[in-house]
Amino acid sequence: MGCPVQVAKPNRTAREPTMRVLVAGATGAMGKELVPRLVEAGHEVFAMVRGESGRVTAERLGAVPVIADALDRAQVEVAVRQAAPEVIVHQLTAIGHIDTRNFERSFAATDRLRIEGTDNLLAAARATGVRRFVAQSNGAFTYARTGGPVKNEQDPLDRSPVGSMASMIAAVEYLEKAVLGAAWTEGIVLRYGAFYGPGTSMAPGSKQLEMIRKRKFPVVGDGGGVWSFVHIADAAEATVAAVAHGGRGVYNIVDDDPAPVAEWLPELAALLGAKKPMRVPRFVGRLAAGEAGVVLMTELRGASNTKAKRELGWRPAHPTWRQGFRVAP
């Protein structure tokens, strides 16, 4: 508590041009990794926070705090005018532990931020002439569950999600269309994979890892759902790259190793010193984890990072969850 955030030195070959950057969502898991890296890269960083505790955190991270409730359009415009940024980075979420039996409820607050918060930030950005707008999206749970196991940015999002996941995917699609459709700025969407590492739902001591440790996180059905992970620090590095030289469009920010649940879950359990996860049939999984839980375990599609590596010059320091899990848990 209160110690300076330690930032690993990135593999940047040359110092990028510095800019004024406003980060909305600067005190969340991603913001705490991102803000110090933007500062280290030489950018003048402003953090949009809601109150005094956020102000203190923002200052500790090296940013200049500006106060606003993301759901109050007038406050957001005042904050953006105060910061006068060239780039806005939208990292607004409110995701805690994801209860797959109540998936819609778990994402309700984040859905609102992805719709109303996005509209408010875009309106303020347009009023103040922001030239680049980078937004967090989701590439972990959202691709269509048809075709091959690994998707690229041209593949569609899920057009027929199960009921409990519909509002989350609709909010993601709303955000993406709004950002990419803003012709007056350079809209960039980052579809992050499943986060692990400090501050995430797969951090040491987290409820999710404890469930795996206690053998309460079984493999459902064939465990064929393909997950694409990304360490939170690698996701932050990709975001710094997008701020500096990303182009309009969508980028998958994931590691190099998409893997089915039946492969990664037993390996993670072994790293945690736990017994091999139990296997249960789909109908039992549906009773225990709901429709969304069955989808995540059996039907999910992974994502390719080829475009991000090519166009952003980004390389994850943890190229595979196999190596990353050994560090993070």
Side-chain angles (χ1 to χ4, degrees):
M1 297 294 289
C3 296
V5 174
Q6 298 297 311
V7 180
K9 294 295 182 183
N11 295 318
R12 301 188 189 112
T13 56
R15 202 162 184 86
E16 301 289 351
T18 60
M19 294 175 285
R20 291 170 69 92
V21 181
L22 173 67
V23 179
T27 60
M30 169 58 76
K32 288 176 180 175
E33 295 286 336
L34 174 61
V35 169
R37 286 173 167 80
L38 290 169
V39 172
E40 193 275 336
H43 300 299
E44 187 175 3
V45 183
F46 297 81
M48 195 178 86
V49 297
R50 292 186 63 182
E52 187 58 32
S53 62
R55 181 195 295 276
V56 172
T57 301
E59 290 175 343
R60 180 175 64 83
L61 295 172
V64 177
V66 290
I67 307 298
D69 181 339
L71 299 176
D72 186 313
R73 181 167 296 199
Q75 289 186 23
V76 171
E77 182 167 342
V78 169
V80 172
R81 287 191 182 280
Q82 182 180 342
E86 298 163 83
V87 182
I88 287 179
V89 183
H90 174 2
Q91 296 285 347
L92 295 168
T93 61
I95 305 171
H97 173 69
I98 299 173
D99 179 358
T100 57
R101 291 167 300 180
N102 296 286
F103 198 84
E104 188 172 7
R105 188 186 309 163
S106 296
F107 277 89
T110 295
D111 292 345
R112 190 178 177 195
L113 288 169
R114 284 176 171 159
I115 296 172
E116 295 178 43
T118 298
D119 283 346
N120 292 343
L121 283 170
L122 282 171
R126 185 168 193 173
T128 54
V130 171
R131 67 180 182 84
R132 181 170 292 168
F133 192 101
V134 181
Q136 175 182 150
S137 185
N138 185 312
F141 305 146
T142 53
Y143 277 111
R145 295 166 289 130
T146 57
V150 179
K151 304 298 185 180
N152 64 40
E153 293 83 354
Q154 301 303 312
D155 288 309
L157 301 183
D158 196 342
R159 301 299 186 211
S160 55
V162 296
S164 60
M165 298 180 73
S167 58
M168 183 273 287
I169 293 175
V172 165
E173 190 165 24
Y174 183 95
L175 176 149
E176 293 194 356
K177 286 183 176 179
V179 172
L180 298 175
W184 44 269
T185 191
E186 193 167 34
I188 298 170
V189 168
L190 304 180
R191 288 179 182 162
Y192 296 120
F195 288 147
Y196 66 98
T200 72
S201 64
M202 295 186 74
S206 66
K207 186 173 181 178
Q208 187 163 317
L209 291 191
E210 287 306 302
M211 288 175 66
I212 295 171
R213 194 189 306 275
K214 294 176 180 178
R215 223 176 173 215
K216 294 180 179 179
F217 198 119
V219 176
V220 176
D222 64 359
V226 178
W227 287 48
S228 279
F229 291 98
V230 65
H231 192 285
I232 192 75
D234 286 329
E237 284 292 338
T239 309
V240 173
V243 165
H245 51 81
R248 181 188 300 277
V250 178
Y251 297 89
N252 287 331
I253 307 301
V254 297
D255 72 13
D256 299 344
D257 192 13
V261 173
E263 185 176 338
W264 68 257
L265 184 53
E267 289 202 29
L268 178 53
L271 284 172
L272 295 171
K275 293 181 180 179
K276 191 174 181 180
M278 293 184 290
R279 281 183 176 262
V280 300
R282 287 175 66 107
F283 80 90
V284 173
R286 186 174 291 107
L287 291 173
E291 283 185 304
V294 173
V295 166
L296 299 185
M297 283 282 182
T298 64
E299 300 179 25
L300 213 62
R301 297 304 196 261
S304 166
N305 64 13
T306 299
K307 180 182 177 183
K309 291 167 74 172
R310 180 182 68 244
E311 296 187 13
L312 299 180
W314 169 71
R315 295 292 185 276
H318 308 83
T320 170
W321 52 270
R322 300 169 198 275
Q323 177 266 338
F325 283 176
R326 288 183 174 87
V327 176

